[in-house]
Amino acid sequence: MCDFLWINFKRKSVLIKLLTKVLFVFLLFFCLLFAYIFVDLKGPEPDPYTSPTTINDITQLNSIEVDRVITPTSIEDIVTAIKTTSGPISIGGGRYSQGGQTAYPDSLHLDMRAFNKVLNLDVAQKQITVQSGITWRDLQEVIDPQNLSVKIMQTYANFTIGGSLSVNVHGRYIGEGPIIRSVESIKLVTADGEIKDASATENSEMFYSAIGGYGGIAVIAEVTLNLVDNVKVKRVTQKMTLHEYAEYFSNNIRNDESIVFHNADIYPPNFMDIRSVSWIKTDEELTIKQRLIAKNKDYTWQPKLAEFVADSNFGKWLRQYVLEPVLYSFDAVQWRNYEASYDVNELEPKSRRTHTYALREYFVPVESFDRFAIEMADIFKRHNANIINVSVRHALPDSGSLLAWARTEVFAFVVYYRQGISNGAQQEVKLWSQEMINAAIAEQGAYYLPYQLNATTEQFMNAYPNYQQFFELKQKVDPNYRFRNKLWQQHFEVYKNAISDLKYE
Ligand SMILES: Cc1cc2nc3c(=O)[nH]c(=O)nc-3n(C[C@H](O)[C@H](O)[C@H](O)COP(=O)(O)OP(=O)(O)OC[C@H]3O[C@@H](n4cnc5c(N)ncnc54)[C@H](O)[C@@H]3O)c2cc1C
């Protein structure tokens, strides 16, 4: 009996020792993880010096020296800038596009960010008219007290309305699509300095080309947008395999009018699991009382978490199996405007000196979801691309813009990734992005134009089949080729030269 008790006691103490050790290892691991994410060991990096005539974008990969920068505050300033000069003009909003779309060497650069007044808010009609340099976040400040919301915008609120229209952006809204679907009318300043109103019924050619026209047709000066009611929304998430998603979306999400926002995150590095995240209209009590995310919110840990996920497959595993399940286990009920007021600072790394974070986006018809997703996973794995997240969104067809990326109902694959900045690293990214574009084109889809300019002109023409109509119109309304940037240098100049070669043959 004594022996039995003694052996049992010994066993128990061995077990306790073992458990203590395991607990210690876990504690050590989480302390290290905590230190890695929260403690800034190297201190902040000094801001690199840039001259006011150096235009760059958030990736810091596209530095372009312009001749002069002006910051219009009235529509007359824009008219005067165009009428009193004769050289190339480039236009910049928030500068979040990532391939030189906002600048051209030695051009006169219109920095639109101070052209940012609200001109009219019609609460009864639910419409707002603004100068195009205003950001979503500043616009939200004005409409939120009226309990109104932006109908269609991106996930983040830092972008200007002019930059958003010129790219014809989209968000996570169900039953919506490209932003053009929410635009009532625009006021343009043309290449000869004339002011022109445009809408779906007035100067419609200009309307359908300036929206999605990447600053190549005219300056978008004023914009009238349709608004909707601000409502309370509740988060609902569900994890599933990649192959279950398209059917799940069609049965549960597509036609559910109570869903406001929806996206689904595909988890790297295997790209076989996906989490659907929907925000549904609700009357439940708010878990977050704030109406908008504070402009000066501190984002110390979020970028470090993204860095941690990017650093290793272990980080990616931890995100999928530990961090997100914990995050999503909490209820979230908040205002639509709160969910639409994210700040890109939550992503901004401490440094972009050796590597940078960037986006890509591909659009395919809804029926191509599975095929394209498999092809995408294969391309990323073969190239060992460091993908942090692939967010799937849905869009109904475009209402008629010439450079529409949603010619039919599409799924968008928004790819957030990390890359080196060396020439070699950029070449490697170019290889996978061209393969991704081919995969999208093979499905009659498109790639998104605000990102790095890795597409060939042939790929551009295949992805945007109305390019010829767009370029013909550009030649008509901008005969001296004043509105320029790196995107149009890459594709329009090739087209223009080919046309003039034909004329002289
Ligand atoms: C972190 C991040 C998240 C993003 N999320 C989304 C998303 O959810 N959905 C989405 O669709 N896109 C998304 N994007 C892409 C983004 O919407 C575009 O890059 C958009 O153009 C940014 O607006 P901006 O004010 O910075 O425009 P800019 O980059 O300054 O300009 C973009 C283009 O518009 C032209 N332009 C700007 N203002 C005017 C004007 N007034 N008149 C004529 N032309 C003008 C410029 O010449 C340029 O060609 C994201 C980008 C980042 C970096």
Side-chain angles (χ1 to χ4, degrees), residues 91-98 101-102 112 132 154-156 159-160 162-163 166-167 169-170 214-215 218-220 344 347 359 393 448 450-451 485:
I91 313 165
R95 302 183 186 176
Y96 288 98
S97 50
Q98 307 187 345
Q101 288 84 349
T102 57
M112 302 298 285
S132 62
Q154 304 91 320
T155 301
Y156 292 93
F159 313 114
T160 65
S166 297
V167 167
V169 299
H170 67 103
Y214 289 81
V219 180
I220 299 176
V344 293
L347 299 172
L359 285 154
R393 289 114 193 254
Y448 210 17
Y451 300 131
N485 57 51

Side-chain angles (χ1 to χ4, degrees), residues 112-156:
M112 302 298 285
R113 290 174 295 184
F115 185 64
N116 61 357
K117 291 190 201 74
V118 172
L119 301 172
N120 187 44
L121 172 60
D122 187 333
V123 176
Q125 284 290 319
K126 296 184 188 165
Q127 281 184 349
I128 190 164
T129 303
V130 293
Q131 292 181 332
S132 62
I134 193 171
T135 62
W136 292 120
R137 186 61 187 75
D138 285 345
L139 184 147
Q140 286 168 338
E141 210 70 45
V142 176
I143 61 175
D144 185 70
Q146 306 299 334
N147 219 23
L148 292 172
S149 267
V150 177
K151 196 171 178 198
I152 302 174
M153 59 177 279
Q154 304 91 320
T155 301
Y156 292 93

Side-chain angles (χ1 to χ4, degrees), residues 3 55 63 128 168 265 319 355 390-391 453 473:
D3 272 2
I55 310 297
S63 171
I128 190 164
N168 198 10
D265 291 327
R319 171 203 170 199
H355 52 251
V390 181
S391 171
L453 304 182
L473 184 76

